Amino acid sequence: MTSRPLPHSSELPPASLEGWYVLHQSVELDWAGLKGADPVEAREALRSLAALAERWSAASEPGWSGVYRVAGGGIDFLVLHFRDTFDRLIEAVRELKLSAFGDHALVRDEYLSVVELGLYALTRELSGRIDPGDREAWDAALAEALAEERRKGYVRRRLEPRQPEHMPYVCHYPMDKRRNPGQNWYALSLEERAGLIAAHGRLGRRFAGRVVQVISGSMGLDDWEWAVTLWAEDPLEFKAIISEMRYDAASAEYAEFGPFVVGKRMAGAEFEGLLPSVAAP
Ligand code: 76R
């Protein structure tokens, strides 16, 4: 079988590195069921969620999960899972379902993606030195460049993201890049896309220390092309960064957004407080 040559370098997709798998679960609490349940059983359900949240946040896991209390959107929690393998992600979901809380958790939406670092600058630089049409030379050079990237500490930290302790708020939404006639991200040259992403990155870095972002790719995994996860110390930072980015060409011209979910990370003791009637005497 002969392999098809790669397209001309102007149509190259950016090389990328993938990290942890991500699952966002939007969960509604079965309030009626919990209020009507025997208080011991209801307390057990909330305690089991607290215990899971506690264990999942332990650094020893190959990944972690966070439980966030959500305002709006008709849901109560966002449960955010990061795991190093697909199997471990499924296992985390099973643990939640099997727990006493699982009987009172109504999962309203789920979104699957994998942490992605889009390497526009690297791809552009490499395509200036090596002809992407020369498949063998290109694949070898790319594999070497990607391996070198992956060895960098700061790259690994981005592929395996942790939520900063002092940033309890989360904002999550899926997004696409447009493919309209005359406004098609995927028909732009690599040069054009790299230029737009560089400007996007410069704008993003103005929020360094205020917003931490995780971009996870979901082409072939879920309905949109990316999931965005942001953490901040104050939810108004989400409004600030997203408003500014709307005016930047990469978003203004090319971004389509899905539904937003905003929440705050919950700590162990808070779970039982959700239902005062069941709180231990
Ligand atoms: O040159 C560079 O360093 C750019 C690095 C970079 C890439 C490749 C980067 C930086 N982003 C990249 C890719 Mn981003 N980002 C978003 C959103 O778009 C919106 O309006 C809102 C959603 C935010 C808030 C955000 C923040 N980014 C992407 C992609 C994939 C595009 C592709 O591959 O074609 C999407 C969909 C996307 C969306 N981005 C940054 C930020 C911030 C804060 C940064 C700088 C952070 C840093 O470099 O540490």
Side-chain angles (χ1 to χ4, degrees):
M1 207 175 84
T2 54
S3 60
R4 210 163 57 86
L6 276 175
H8 181 265
S9 68
S10 70
E11 295 159 25
L12 268 183
S16 60
L17 283 175
E18 279 71 36
W20 279 346
Y21 282 92
V22 194
L23 188 73
H24 293 78
Q25 294 187 294
S26 297
V27 177
E28 188 185 340
L29 189 63
D30 163 29
W31 291 99
L34 268 187
K35 283 191 287 189
D38 175 69
V40 175
E41 183 201 321
R43 190 181 311 139
E44 187 46 43
L46 294 176
R47 279 191 183 161
S48 74
L49 179 61
L52 271 181
E54 189 73 16
R55 187 157 58 75
W56 278 337
S57 61
S60 58
E61 286 268 320
W64 60 277
S65 307
V67 180
Y68 301 83
R69 189 75 205 282
V70 168
I75 57 166
D76 297 293
F77 303 108
L78 175 70
V79 186
L80 175 51
H81 305 278
F82 290 95
R83 291 295 183 282
D84 62 342
T85 65
F86 192 81
D87 287 2
R88 284 209 175 87
L89 198 63
I90 292 173
E91 181 52 28
V93 172
R94 193 176 71 96
E95 278 184 274
L96 185 67
K97 289 202 167 131
L98 281 182
S99 71
F101 175 74
D103 298 340
H104 297 282
L106 310 170
V107 177
R108 296 307 190 200
D109 200 13
E110 293 187 292
Y111 200 86
L112 175 67
S113 58
V114 63
V115 177
E116 173 187 294
L117 278 191
L119 303 168
Y120 275 96
L122 179 151
T123 310
R124 183 167 54 175
E125 189 274 325
L126 204 64
S127 69
R129 287 192 287 118
I130 289 161
D131 175 12
D134 180 347
R135 193 72 184 254
E136 221 167 285
W138 176 259
D139 286 351
L142 187 59
E144 192 183 320
L146 289 179
E148 194 182 318
E149 277 302 299
R150 205 177 259 286
R151 279 195 291 272
K152 297 175 182 167
Y154 72 87
V155 168
R156 264 211 303 278
R157 280 193 293 279
R158 296 197 63 163
L159 293 172
E160 301 177 357
R162 310 262 170 197
Q163 177 178 2
E165 294 248 336
H166 66 291
M167 296 186 175
Y169 292 95
V170 71
C171 173
H172 156 65
Y173 52 96
M175 62 177 289
D176 282 342
K177 292 289 197 199
R178 285 193 181 123
R179 49 179 89 246
N180 299 335
Q183 201 186 27
N184 185 341
W185 177 256
Y186 299 92
L188 296 178
S189 68
L190 174 64
E191 272 314 297
E192 287 170 303
R193 280 175 287 129
L196 288 166
I197 285 290
H200 162 84
R202 281 194 295 278
L203 200 171
R205 279 189 288 278
R206 294 221 307 268
F207 286 84
R210 292 167 56 191
V211 176
V212 168
Q213 109 280 21
V214 178
I215 301 302
S216 44
S218 47
M219 289 183 190
L221 298 179
D222 216 317
D223 297 348
W224 298 74
E225 293 167 347
W226 289 278
V228 179
T229 305
L230 309 173
W231 288 300
E233 204 176 337
D234 179 336
L236 288 180
E237 298 286 19
F238 303 139
K239 185 169 184 294
I241 189 170
I242 290 161
S243 307
E244 273 209 42
M245 285 195 169
R246 290 267 159 123
Y247 292 91
D248 183 64
S251 303
E253 299 266 357
Y254 297 107
E256 297 278 3
F257 299 91
F260 283 67
V261 174
V262 173
K264 186 178 187 189
R265 184 85 176 258
M266 286 185 78
E270 290 173 86
F271 291 93
E272 269 186 64
L274 285 171
L275 265 191
S277 58
V278 310

